[in-house]
Amino acid sequence: MKRMSSIRRFIDIGANLTDDMYQGSYHGTKKHEPDLEKVLKRAWDGGMNRIIITGGNLIDSKKAIELSRTDSRLFSTVGCHPTRCGDFLPNPEKYLNDLKHLIEENKDKVVAIGELGLDYERLHFCEKEIQQKYFEYQLKLCQELQLPLFLHCRNAADDLVEILNRNREHVVGGVVHSFDGTQEELENILKLDLFIGINGCSLRTKENLEVAARIPQDRLMIETDSPWCEVKQTHPGYKYVVTKPATVKKEKYSVESACQVKGRNEPVNIIQVLEILAAIRNEPIDELAEAVYNNTCKLFFNNK
C-alpha cells in the first residue's frame, strides 16, 4: 500500500522557540551559532503547518509575539506560568492589565491564554497559594477576550480541576498540555470539555502509555514542548518510533549540519509523538494525524 505521509499536516501547540538553546546558548554558555531559522526550516519541510510559541510571562510573551511576526505560520500564547506567578506581585491588577493589553494589541497572533496553571513539583520557584491565586486571577481573561486556555499541570490535577470547575463560566475551552496524569485525572479533565496535549514527557512510563491510549481521538492534540520533552531511548514508547534523525553533541554542532543537536528537542520531532500514539492506540497514523490536526484547528484557529 502506498504511504500517505505527504498528506500529514502538523500543528505544534507548544514550542518554546524563544529559548536560548536556539541561539546556541546552553546554561549561559555559547556552544554554536544561532540556528532557529534552520530549526524552523526542518519543521516546515517535515509537514509542520503552524507552530504556537509558548509565552511564560509578560516578557516572554512579548518575545514570542515578536518572533511570531517573522512568519505567517507562527502564533503565540500570552500568560504567566505557575512557577512565575510571583511576577504578579506587587501590583496584580497592573500585571493582568498588561497581559490583557498585549493580547488586544496582537489579536491576529495570540491564540490562547497561557501558559497558566499549577505546578506542585517546583514549589521552590513559587509557593502553592500564590500559584492558585494567580491561576484563578488569570481565568477572567479567558471569557473577556474569548480565548482558550493553554494549561500547565504538574502533580496538581485535583486542584486544577477544582479551580476550573469553580470558574467554569469564565472558560471558553482549552488544552492541558504535556499531560502525564492518571486515568482518573484524565476523566476529570475531559468532563471539563478540555483537550489533552501529548508530548515526549507524556509518554515516559508504561502507565503513561496506557492512559494516552484511552484519550478520545476527538480530544487529542500533540506537541513537542521543545527544546524540552524529547522522546528518549529509555522511554517505553521509543520502540514504536520510526523517524530517528541523526544527532550530534552541541559542542560539535554547526548550523550547516544536517543533524540535530543531541538532547535538544525540535518541532519537527512531533512525528515521533504521532508514531507512538498511533502504535499504542492501534490507529492508522494518517487518520490520527488528520484528526489531531482538525482538533487543533477547532480550538485555536477557527477565526484565523
Side-chain angles (χ1 to χ4, degrees):
M1 181 180 293
K2 183 179 179 182
R3 286 175 60 86
M4 298 173 62
S5 59
S6 60
I7 69 168
R8 290 182 203 151
R9 299 177 293 175
F10 299 102
I11 299 175
D12 191 344
I13 67 166
N16 301 284
L17 298 183
T18 60
D19 193 277
D20 286 344
M21 288 190 202
Y22 296 121
Q23 298 304 312
S25 182
Y26 300 76
H27 306 291
T29 303
K30 194 79 168 179
K31 297 296 183 180
H32 58 79
E33 292 303 305
D35 68 336
L36 181 58
E37 185 176 340
K38 189 73 175 287
V39 168
L40 287 173
K41 185 178 188 307
R42 279 194 283 267
W44 310 136
D45 290 348
M48 191 66 67
N49 186 272
R50 278 167 277 193
I51 298 174
I52 301 174
I53 308 166
T54 305
N57 65 359
L58 183 62
I59 293 173
D60 278 358
S61 296
K62 289 177 179 178
K63 291 178 181 177
I65 291 171
E66 183 179 356
L67 178 56
S68 76
R69 295 213 169 275
T70 65
D71 194 299
S72 63
R73 296 164 290 187
L74 295 176
F75 296 86
S76 174
T77 71
V78 169
C80 190
H81 190 281
T83 63
R84 304 167 86 172
C85 278
D87 289 3
F88 275 94
L89 306 173
N91 194 334
E93 185 176 358
K94 181 181 185 304
Y95 197 86
L96 189 72
N97 282 332
D98 286 346
L99 291 173
K100 178 185 173 182
H101 293 151
L102 183 63
I103 294 167
E104 290 176 329
E105 293 165 1
N106 297 279
K107 288 182 178 179
D108 59 322
K109 284 294 186 179
V110 180
V111 297
I113 310 295
E115 178 175 1
L116 77 168
L118 300 173
D119 190 324
Y120 293 173
E121 290 183 0
R122 291 178 282 182
L123 294 175
H124 53 287
F125 288 122
C126 185
E127 62 187 65
K128 184 184 296 187
E129 291 74 19
I130 296 292
Q131 289 189 31
Q132 292 172 349
K133 181 176 181 178
Y134 292 111
F135 167 42
E136 190 162 9
Y137 192 54
Q138 289 180 81
L139 292 179
K140 62 183 70 177
L141 294 178
C142 184
Q143 182 181 46
E144 189 173 351
L145 300 172
Q146 289 295 295
L147 284 173
L149 301 171
F150 186 73
L151 292 157
H152 176 101
C153 183
R154 279 287 175 267
N155 195 28
D158 289 347
D159 285 349
L160 184 90
V161 168
E162 192 275 327
I163 290 171
L164 289 172
N165 263 320
R166 195 166 66 237
N167 293 273
R168 202 149 183 185
E169 73 277 8
H170 295 316
V171 179
V172 297
V175 57
V176 176
H177 102 103
S178 195
F179 178 78
D180 66 350
T182 65
Q183 180 68 27
E184 182 182 3
E185 290 168 349
L186 170 65
E187 291 170 0
N188 288 335
I189 289 168
L190 291 174
K191 287 176 185 175
L192 291 166
D193 297 323
L194 297 172
F195 289 85
I196 304 293
I198 298 294
N199 58 35
C201 287
S202 308
L203 305 168
R204 288 178 291 189
T205 69
K206 182 175 179 290
E207 291 73 23
N208 289 158
L209 297 183
E210 291 171 353
V211 175
R214 298 190 186 105
I215 300 170
Q217 191 185 79
D218 64 354
R219 287 284 150 184
L220 182 62
M221 295 183 185
I222 57 177
E223 57 179 301
T224 60
D225 206 26
S226 52
W228 320 106
C229 291
E230 65 176 331
V231 176
K232 297 183 178 181
Q233 294 185 26
T234 55
H235 292 174
Y238 186 78
K239 62 185 176 183
Y240 301 117
V241 173
V242 177
T243 307
K244 300 174 181 178
T247 62
V248 64
K249 290 182 178 180
K250 54 183 174 290
E251 291 84 2
K252 298 182 178 180
Y253 175 79
S254 70
V255 177
E256 292 74 26
S257 171
C259 301
Q260 294 186 24
V261 176
K262 186 176 183 179
R264 184 190 71 172
N265 203 6
E266 294 188 14
V268 70
N269 296 332
I270 201 168
I271 180 62
Q272 296 181 333
V273 179
L274 179 68
E275 289 169 347
I276 295 172
L277 287 171
I280 64 175
R281 296 164 64 88
N282 195 28
E283 294 176 2
I285 191 167
D286 293 313
E287 175 188 303
L288 182 60
E290 192 66 7
V292 168
Y293 179 86
N294 290 334
N295 292 342
T296 309
C297 288
K298 178 181 178 182
L299 183 65
F300 293 116
F301 297 105
N302 262 346
N303 298 317
K304 293 196 168 48

